[in-house]
Amino acid sequence: MWGLAPPLCRRAGAAVARVPGWRLTVAAAARAPSGRLTVAAAAVAPPSGSPGGWYEWLVQSAPVHWAEGGLVALQAAAGLPWWAAIVCGGAVLRTAVTLPLAAHQSRLLAKLENLQPEIKKLAECLRYEVSVRGKQLGWSEKVARFHFKKNLRRIITELYIRDNCHPFKATLLMWVQIPMWVCVSLALRNCSVGAMDSEVKEQFSTGGTLWFTDLTAPDSTWILPVSLGLVNLLIVEVFALQKLKATRFQKLATNFIRVVSVVMIPVAATVPSSMALYWLSSSFMGLSHNLLLRSPTFRRLCRIPRTTSDSATPYRDIVSALTTKYSFKK
């Protein structure tokens, strides 16, 4: 088991999902010729290095044009008003793309959680062996600690390979969800400002409902932005409840995401209502999927391994935990 001499496999730490802060800038976009609804990617000049250059390159990139085409095709095929097409498009993307990835992520995290007792036991055995070998060879405490950490990384890596649950694989959801969110957001921006087609912009100007009848204008009532912030904060709180013993870094990351959720409120109040509506519908679907993945029945259906932290009554536990955390009663 020992193997102090052989070279060890490289890193075996938990991958950390970074949530970047988004900065939306308003830039003029070249209008497409009227009457053309084509979204084929045109030849794009390389970014000039200035903020306007890379932003204009991004909003005219091929993935954004594909998203524009998908939105137009969905609205035309379903015959829905634009506000309903945006909501349905967000729901379809979340359910067809990110929900399976979220289930895959939950499966990996469950395997990692179930590995922790075995890792702890092996670490104790390794610490004893290093102590014995260190006394035999006259190692200093620094040298013994070096060999302990090196071999522990090797052991953990072997366990990850054995159970096919390397932490980096759990970040796949982030690498798919964030680019998709950006592309659809920019596609809606293009449709709202007329960068795609003036006819689509006219449809957007009358394609809203209730208090946001003009999808090209920001929501002056702030109902959509505030609702977005509340839903995002609820997602953060529900996710934080899964961490029974959060590390210091996890607490800092959770607080950072809380700040981002609040900052998104004024940002959503300055962009077209079409974008704010998509953000709200996407976040609402994310909250729904987060709650769905807490269901024991759905977890069994997705073949997510049971863990010691699983609950037979997850929704009752969430309500109880939120009530206790935010109750003003002594």
Side-chain angles (χ1 to χ4, degrees):
M1 165 190 175
W2 212 163
L4 282 174
L8 310 180
C9 295
R10 306 177 218 344
R11 295 171 294 277
V16 178
R18 299 178 181 175
V19 181
W22 297 102
R23 182 178 65 181
L24 298 178
T25 58
V26 180
R31 295 174 177 266
S34 60
R36 292 184 60 191
L37 290 178
T38 176
V39 292
V44 181
S48 62
S50 62
W54 69 259
Y55 181 75
E56 285 303 314
W57 171 83
L58 181 60
V59 298
Q60 297 299 330
S61 61
V64 173
H65 286 309
W66 296 337
E68 293 171 2
L71 288 169
V72 171
L74 174 64
Q75 192 272 341
L80 297 171
W82 268 110
W83 70 268
I86 293 172
V87 173
C88 291
V92 168
L93 286 176
R94 276 285 196 169
T95 303
V97 179
T98 61
L99 180 57
L101 293 177
H104 176 67
Q105 182 187 64
S106 297
R107 193 178 304 114
L108 290 173
L109 294 178
K111 289 182 178 181
L112 288 172
E113 182 178 344
N114 290 335
L115 271 181
Q116 297 311 307
E118 184 176 359
I119 292 175
K120 183 178 180 181
K121 183 177 180 180
L122 291 174
E124 292 174 355
C125 295
L126 179 62
R127 183 175 287 106
Y128 173 76
E129 292 187 22
V130 169
S131 176
V132 173
R133 182 62 65 91
K135 291 179 180 179
Q136 293 176 349
L137 301 178
W139 288 345
S140 64
E141 182 180 349
K142 183 178 180 180
V143 173
R145 185 166 55 250
F146 168 77
H147 285 293
F148 170 76
K149 292 181 178 180
K150 187 173 72 169
N151 282 271
L152 182 61
R153 285 196 298 268
R154 173 179 59 83
I155 292 172
I156 293 176
T157 300
E158 291 173 353
L159 292 176
Y160 288 162
I161 294 174
R162 185 196 69 185
D163 290 358
N164 191 24
C165 61
H166 195 284
F168 185 78
K169 294 182 179 180
T171 66
L172 178 61
L173 175 62
M174 175 189 69
W175 296 115
V176 173
Q177 180 175 335
I178 293 179
M180 182 177 70
W181 183 87
V182 172
C183 289
V184 176
S185 298
L186 293 179
L188 289 170
R189 173 261 182 199
N190 288 348
C191 293
S192 300
V193 302
M196 175 186 175
D197 188 273
S198 58
E199 181 180 348
V200 175
K201 181 183 178 181
E202 292 176 1
Q203 294 175 5
F204 265 55
S205 63
T206 58
T209 185
L210 300 176
W211 67 92
F212 55 99
T213 55
D214 186 356
L215 293 175
T216 66
D219 181 10
S220 59
T221 66
W222 283 57
I223 295 178
L224 290 177
V226 172
S227 300
L228 171 66
L230 292 176
V231 172
N232 284 337
L233 287 173
L234 186 56
I235 292 174
V236 175
E237 297 307 316
V238 171
F239 183 78
L241 293 176
Q242 297 176 337
K243 304 292 183 182
L244 300 179
K245 295 182 179 179
T247 63
R248 182 172 179 271
F249 179 81
Q250 288 173 337
K251 292 180 180 178
L252 291 175
T254 300
N255 289 332
F256 174 76
I257 299 175
R258 288 191 180 107
V259 173
V260 172
S261 299
V262 174
V263 171
M264 284 297 294
I265 295 176
V267 172
T270 61
V271 300
S273 298
S274 59
M275 295 176 64
L277 178 62
Y278 166 67
W279 294 350
L280 176 59
S281 61
S282 179
S283 294
F284 181 79
M285 290 302 299
L287 174 62
S288 302
H289 293 164
N290 197 321
L291 294 175
L292 181 62
L293 286 168
R294 301 290 292 271
S295 167
T297 302
F298 188 76
R299 291 176 71 88
R300 286 195 300 270
L301 183 64
C302 296
R303 298 182 179 180
I304 300 174
R306 288 189 58 83
T307 64
T308 55
S309 62
D310 285 350
S311 171
T313 57
Y315 305 120
R316 187 184 305 170
D317 295 343
I318 291 175
V319 173
S320 176
L322 291 176
T323 302
T324 302
K325 184 174 182 179
Y326 295 101
S327 175
F328 293 98
K329 297 180 181 180
K330 294 184 178 179

